[in-house]
Amino acid sequence: MTSQPLEEGQVSSRSDGTILEACDLTKSYRLGSRDVEALRGVSLKVRRGEFVALMGPSGSGKSTLLQLLGGLDRPTSGEVVLDGQVISRLGDAQATRLRREKTGFVFQFFNLIPLLDVYENVALPFTIAGEDPRRGDAAARIRDVLEILDLVGREHNRPDQLSAGEQQRVALARALVSRPAILLADEPTGNLDYASGGEILDELWRSCDELGQTIVLVTHDARAAAQADRVLVVGDGKIRDEIELGRRTDRRAGPLIARLAQLGL
Ligand SMILES: Nc1ncnc2c1ncn2[C@@H]1O[C@H](COP(=O)(O)OP(=O)(O)O)[C@@H](O)[C@H]1O
Ligand SMILES: [Mg+2]
């Protein structure tokens, strides 16, 4: 077999099924006259199709880590390798393109565009890429995710005409419609009541289990983290512990809470 020359910024580390890798990440923020060290040396690997939860208290560095993993921000030092591309070696335009092609993001506060209806919000990744979202493959994919997320009949509603749970389903549809290599979710249930939060967690798990979607979920909630195959416990800018739960249908939080208690967390 002849080996292909690597493109600039590309490394050949995909043979072990790793789709996302962080190597010794640090991140400092300048706050007035002092530096806040949000991340203090984080390394991790995520396998293709894996569901990983980053769990830890408020202020521990979870959102910062997720933003670096998805190329929304750059580390102070260290590297992120996303699907074979070293993000930190890419220019801004290339990094933006990689992020659009490879990642889908879901946030606590939905981040929908208020003046666009459900269809237009979900269609946004295609619109940004200059594709007509009412035709061909784009239209088929949009119909698929609207169906999967039970939004059929809501296409012409604006976000303010939807419940919080429905709004988050729209945000999830928008994140999944481009079939990203990796879905990154930051406290996606943090602004939802218990029942709607449970629905979103079920949808995340289903996309992973049935569609093979790779997911990194940030949460401070054990019920959310208990959906994952593996939980990385974040504390004070570092990964403190790792709990392997494995793929399973019973995803109640009890066993995870017991393991966290054993670790003194
Ligand atoms: N843009 C920013 N500017 C200054 N400090 C920040 C910024 N973002 C986060 N921090 C600080 O970095 C630390 C980690 O924050 P964050 O990653 O948001 O934690 P978490 O998501 O676990 O609550 C906190 O001390 C926070 O105040
Ligand atoms: Mg956060």
Side-chain angles (χ1 to χ4, degrees):
M1 206 176 91
T2 54
S3 67
Q4 296 289 318
L6 295 174
E7 284 174 39
E8 194 187 343
Q10 195 160 21
V11 293
S12 57
S13 69
R14 276 181 280 178
S15 49
D16 63 349
T18 299
I19 193 162
L20 179 66
E21 183 169 6
C23 309
D24 207 15
L25 292 180
T26 73
K27 179 72 180 177
S28 304
Y29 293 108
R30 191 85 192 153
L31 201 62
S33 59
R34 67 189 188 96
D35 284 326
V36 179
E37 283 186 87
L39 294 180
R40 304 190 294 141
V42 170
S43 298
L44 59 82
K45 282 186 181 184
V46 178
R47 291 187 304 277
R48 200 175 287 275
E50 195 181 17
F51 189 156
V52 173
L54 302 172
M55 191 187 177
S58 179
S60 57
K62 306 182 297 299
S63 294
T64 299
L65 177 55
L66 200 73
Q67 282 169 10
L68 299 186
L69 293 177
L72 280 177
D73 199 358
R74 289 176 187 272
T76 303
S77 67
E79 280 184 341
V80 174
V81 187
L82 173 57
D83 208 9
Q85 299 269 322
V86 185
I87 299 181
S88 44
R89 283 191 215 149
L90 300 174
D92 284 346
Q94 283 176 302
T96 300
R97 195 160 54 106
L98 181 72
R99 176 159 49 76
R100 283 193 187 138
E101 283 174 8
K102 304 282 186 187
T103 69
F105 271 92
V106 183
F107 301 97
Q108 181 175 356
F109 294 105
F110 323 139
N111 292 22
L112 299 175
I113 299 193
L115 292 175
L116 299 184
D117 69 18
V118 166
Y119 194 95
E120 292 163 334
N121 266 286
V122 173
L124 216 53
F126 296 111
T127 313
I128 289 171
E131 290 176 51
D132 182 349
R134 310 254 170 206
R135 292 167 175 275
D137 187 43
R141 286 204 198 180
I142 294 167
R143 269 201 312 277
D144 279 354
V145 284
L146 290 174
E147 196 147 310
I148 290 169
L149 289 160
D150 200 16
L151 291 163
V152 175
R154 296 298 209 177
E155 291 89 339
H156 301 301
N157 287 120
R158 284 198 323 267
D160 66 359
Q161 298 169 319
L162 301 174
S163 71
E166 286 168 331
Q167 290 182 58
Q168 193 62 303
R169 295 212 304 273
V170 175
L172 186 54
R174 181 182 59 186
L176 290 174
V177 76
S178 52
R179 300 187 186 153
I182 186 148
L183 178 74
L184 301 152
D186 194 350
E187 309 269 11
T189 60
N191 201 34
L192 300 178
D193 61 61
Y194 191 83
S196 319
E199 279 173 21
I200 289 293
L201 295 174
D202 284 345
E203 295 300 347
L204 286 175
W205 191 79
R206 225 153 55 90
S207 74
C208 186
D209 198 50
E210 291 173 19
L211 309 175
Q213 179 66 56
T214 310
I215 300 179
V216 179
L217 166 73
V218 156
T219 184
H220 62 263
D221 172 13
R223 179 176 71 139
Q227 310 301 306
D229 303 322
R230 185 156 58 102
V231 179
L232 300 175
V233 182
V234 182
D236 210 9
K238 289 191 167 189
I239 292 178
R240 300 293 171 182
D241 277 293
E242 179 171 339
I243 299 170
E244 186 76 48
L245 294 167
R247 187 63 52 94
R248 65 222 180 280
T249 46
D250 183 352
R251 291 161 289 121
R252 280 175 295 186
L256 173 60
I257 292 170
R259 292 288 298 280
L260 292 167
Q262 274 172 6
L263 293 167
L265 297 163

